[in-house]
Amino acid sequence: MRRVAGEEGLAEGAALLRAGGIVAFPTETVYGLGADARSDSAVQRIFAAKGRPSDNPLIVHVADREGARRLARRWPDLAERLAARFWPGPLTLVVPARKEVASATRAGLDTVGLRCPAHPLALRLLQAAALPVAAPSANRSGRPSPTTAEAVLDDLKAADGLVLDGGPSGIGVESTVVDVSSGAPVLLRPGGLGREEVEAVAGPLLVLGDDGKAPRAPGMKYRHYAPALPVRLLRLEPEAAIAVIRRQFDPADTGILAATEVREALSAYRGVDLGPDADSAAAALFEGLRRLERDPDLARIVAVWCDTRGRGLAVLNRLEKAAGGGRHV
Ligand code: AMP
Ligand code: MG
């Protein structure tokens, strides 16, 4: 992939999307790898570049609500209310799809996940290209999502396309995915928008459960967000986590990924400080995993997280999956 400074690359990026090529671009959540969502052959290039299983559908990015309504076979009242409140922003709405959305984009489903990103460069790219852009995170499938152009290149250098460099994406975890396509709204994936905020508009959300049924968000069954080192997740309060780590893990080959309080108490270990709260943790999470995996002396990463409020739920979810667990493996 060829990297171009965001502003300068906009016109070229839009032209490449119109020609069926792939373009990585920053959003407020993570970097996306985009292609024309109406074209099976364009979208196939995303799946090929990422090594993504073809049964994992892509989120389609639109410039505004009008663009979303054009792709929805039905646009439920709740979709309208959520989009009016939270777009542009880190919320993806799954609604019944029109046939214009390529089958590969939907992974053959009759629904589509739609979102309007709150990033000036992403919005200008969508406007300039004037087409709906299917864009999963711009990482090799299964790896931590990229929050910088550098991380995109680390994973996808060999692919043929363009990377618009717009600096680090701010939120750091992907969008919250809510299915409003039938009956009661379902939280398919926690993300940048807190569950509480969605529920303030939508009422209580059903949560994709561990009831053994086929997952409704197809991508959820795959291992995700995993760096090159094994990850252990300690879902513990600071004091307990500090004690367990001191007792069980060798400072010589264990990297710590934890909020400031825990990180500072473990100064004998190398590691990454996730900052004071869930928002700082979300912003530092994926880059932290990528940084620790590059440390040649480390044999494992021990992550500490238990906060489920706001973006904390997304941080926990990503760490569960990075550790190879979670409810949908
Ligand atoms: P990614 O693009 O890697 O951030 O992943 C997108 C995720 O959005 C998928 O793994 C699904 O969980 C979810 N998603 C996208 N489209 C749909 C859809 N039509 N139905 C259900 N889930 C979807
Ligand atoms: Mg992804």
Side-chain angles (χ1 to χ4, degrees), residues 150-177:
E150 205 62 56
V152 175
L153 289 170
D154 282 345
D155 274 23
L156 301 178
K157 203 168 297 149
D160 192 15
L162 206 61
V163 186
L164 303 187
D165 189 345
S169 39
I171 291 176
V173 290
E174 301 82 350
S175 61
T176 302
V177 181

Side-chain angles (χ1 to χ4, degrees), residues 118-156:
H119 191 293
L121 217 58
L123 284 172
R124 286 174 61 196
L125 181 67
L126 289 167
Q127 278 150 4
L131 45 81
V133 173
S137 50
N139 51 276
R140 283 288 299 175
S141 189
R143 301 253 311 133
S145 299
T147 56
T148 63
E150 205 62 56
V152 175
L153 289 170
D154 282 345
D155 274 23
L156 301 178

Side-chain angles (χ1 to χ4, degrees), residues 50 52 56-59 92 94-95 105-106 109 111-113 135-137 139 145 174-175 177 179 188-189 216-220 224-225:
K50 284 183 56 97
R52 180 171 172 116
N56 191 357
L58 308 181
I59 291 169
T92 296
V94 173
V95 298
T105 300
R106 297 178 269 117
L109 302 171
T111 55
V112 60
S137 50
N139 51 276
S145 299
E174 301 82 350
S175 61
V177 181
D179 186 347
L188 295 181
R189 175 178 77 182
R216 279 179 73 182
M220 304 300 273
H224 260 124
Y225 317 116

